[in-house]
Amino acid sequence: MSKTFLELTQLGMRYPTAKGEFVALQNVNFTIKQGEFISLIGHSGCGKSTVLDLIAGLQIPTDGGVIVGKREVSGPGPDRAVVFQNHALLPWLSVYQNVELAFKQVNQGGSKQALRSGVMHYLDLVQMSHAADKRPDEISGGMKQRVGIARALAMKPKVLLMDEPFGALDALTRAHLQDALMAIQAELKNTVIMITHDVDEAVLLSDRIVMMTNGPAATIGEVVDVELAKPRNRIELANDDTYQLLRQQVLRFLYEKQRKVAPITSAENQKVA
Ligand code: ADP
Ligand code: MG
């Protein structure tokens, strides 16, 4: 894990609006090494999804640029797969067919058997092979999200981009999927950039946590190195001093340095009292 291969340089995004230009992002500079797991955290509306979209090539920046593997991003590509909060599976296709569609994008001309075992491999990774023939509306939200992850992985992306992938799930399902993602990443060594609102999720999964300032003109505020040995175990970490310190560091950034509500002044405090 040494080569820099993803670079955000002077990245900025200005949106035209009825009231004039809105500067969503400004001067975002960051480099990511191959195989790193990066979490992007920040208050709602600060520009996290915009950063992810710019890396995915779903939007083109108005300033600066994104380089992935020595090439400037100019649109979407199979080297960068995206997982959204709402899986977005094709409802008329089975679980198997949804993953097959992605698999075929990067594996053409193989035998029927190679195709079948390739697709099943990705369903196995997310423990969904048992439901290969079900349709998306026949499986739970957590299962759909697993299939969404399998579909993304089946494109063998250099970068896996995830926008609050577990945000819509209950706590238990979320924990299972976080564990699954950790195991998969340990095996495949994908580079992952994941947006989250969840401080514990960020510390548990990441090599580094990128904390964004509030917009407008949002940028990177602080970066936390998560120096916790892998594989990580959520139960053991709960009592780990380093884990607690990292957690506090993120919480302090979000709720003190970047608080959304203006702090109560001492004069106001006296009025209340
Ligand atoms: P986050 O994902 O952190 O919640 P977004 O990246 O979605 O934030 O949005 C960042 C800011 O840019 C927000 O203030 C949002 O309203 C604004 N924004 C996003 N897309 C557009 C657009 N197409 N036009 C105008 N403003 C936008
Ligand atoms: Mg968002």
Side-chain angles (χ1 to χ4, degrees), residues 139-161:
I139 58 176
S140 71
M143 287 173 161
K144 281 187 253 212
Q145 208 57 357
R146 280 177 192 270
V147 180
I149 292 169
R151 183 179 56 175
L153 292 172
M155 296 200 289
K156 290 208 193 118
K158 289 187 192 140
V159 194
L160 184 60
L161 301 167

Side-chain angles (χ1 to χ4, degrees), residues 48-49 163-164 195:
K48 304 178 294 296
S49 295
D163 196 343
E164 300 184 41
I195 295 177

Side-chain angles (χ1 to χ4, degrees), residues 56-72:
L58 297 171
Q59 294 193 69
I60 299 301
T62 51
D63 304 278
V66 179
I67 291 174
V68 175
K70 300 201 172 105
R71 286 181 56 188
E72 184 159 11

Side-chain angles (χ1 to χ4, degrees), residues 2 5 10 21-22 32 36 63-64 82 86 89-90 102 104 115 130 140 186 204 217 221-222 240 243 250 270-271:
S2 56
F5 92 113
Q10 289 298 102
E21 195 172 66
F22 176 75
I32 298 173
E36 265 195 297
D63 304 278
V82 192
N86 296 314
L89 299 177
L90 300 175
K104 277 181 166 169
L115 172 66
H130 65 279
S140 71
L204 181 66
E222 287 179 26
D240 185 294
Y243 178 85
V250 179
Q270 280 160 9
K271 258 189 266 166

Side-chain angles (χ1 to χ4, degrees), residues 187-207:
E187 188 184 328
L188 303 182
K189 302 192 167 51
N190 293 86
T191 305
V192 183
I193 305 173
M194 179 186 75
I195 295 177
T196 182
H197 272 121
D198 182 332
V199 175
D200 287 293
E201 179 170 281
V203 180
L204 181 66
L205 297 176
S206 315
D207 295 308

Side-chain angles (χ1 to χ4, degrees), residues 97-217:
Q97 289 166 328
N98 266 282
V99 177
E100 183 187 47
L101 204 61
F103 186 84
K104 277 181 166 169
Q105 279 191 35
V106 291
N107 296 280
Q108 278 160 7
S111 69
K112 259 191 173 169
Q113 201 186 351
L115 172 66
R116 174 93 198 159
S117 67
V119 174
M120 290 312 282
H121 167 70
Y122 289 101
L123 286 176
D124 279 338
L125 271 179
V126 297
Q127 295 171 10
M128 279 302 293
S129 37
H130 65 279
D133 297 324
K134 293 217 154 86
R135 304 218 175 247
D137 64 357
E138 295 173 320
I139 58 176
S140 71
M143 287 173 161
K144 281 187 253 212
Q145 208 57 357
R146 280 177 192 270
V147 180
I149 292 169
R151 183 179 56 175
L153 292 172
M155 296 200 289
K156 290 208 193 118
K158 289 187 192 140
V159 194
L160 184 60
L161 301 167
M162 310 180 99
D163 196 343
E164 300 184 41
F166 312 134
L169 305 174
D170 66 89
L172 203 57
T173 307
R174 191 180 180 117
H176 281 304
L177 273 188
Q178 288 166 348
D179 290 344
L181 181 59
M182 278 195 281
I184 289 166
Q185 208 251 347
E187 188 184 328
L188 303 182
K189 302 192 167 51
N190 293 86
T191 305
V192 183
I193 305 173
M194 179 186 75
I195 295 177
T196 182
H197 272 121
D198 182 332
V199 175
D200 287 293
E201 179 170 281
V203 180
L204 181 66
L205 297 176
S206 315
D207 295 308
R208 287 189 288 161
I209 303 172
V210 173
M211 303 189 285
M212 291 183 60
T213 61
N214 294 335

